[in-house]
Amino acid sequence: AIRGWGVHAFAASEPEVLEVGYRFILDGFESGQFCQSAGRLFQIDDVQEAHTYMEQGQHIGKLVLVP
């Protein structure tokens, strides 16, 4: 399951909930349960192709432009 929340909703009123959320996320990355993946790499000269690909809305992960 994927859960999400607006950080600002908890920052002032419930800082302990915010801390639990941050710890959950950090622990997930440290343990390898979560990972950030690049959906696709594009050369910087292919920025127009990258933008077209992004507009299609079919990608999963980040699109990365590399020099």
Side-chain angles (χ1 to χ4, degrees):
I2 298 175
R3 295 183 183 188
W5 65 88
V7 171
H8 300 291
F10 295 107
S13 63
E14 299 182 61
E16 67 282 353
V17 173
L18 185 62
E19 178 60 31
V20 169
Y22 279 143
R23 179 57 29 215
F24 175 78
I25 292 168
L26 292 174
D27 289 348
F29 279 108
E30 288 174 0
S31 71
Q33 182 180 4
F34 302 152
C35 64
Q36 176 62 41
S37 63
R40 187 162 169 194
L41 300 177
F42 291 89
Q43 295 298 313
I44 194 74
D45 293 336
D46 297 327
V47 66
Q48 188 171 12
E49 179 185 351
H51 193 269
T52 300
Y53 185 75
M54 180 184 66
E55 285 181 325
Q56 294 172 354
Q58 302 287 329
H59 62 283
I60 296 175
K62 303 294 182 189
L63 304 182
V64 178
L65 294 171
V66 293

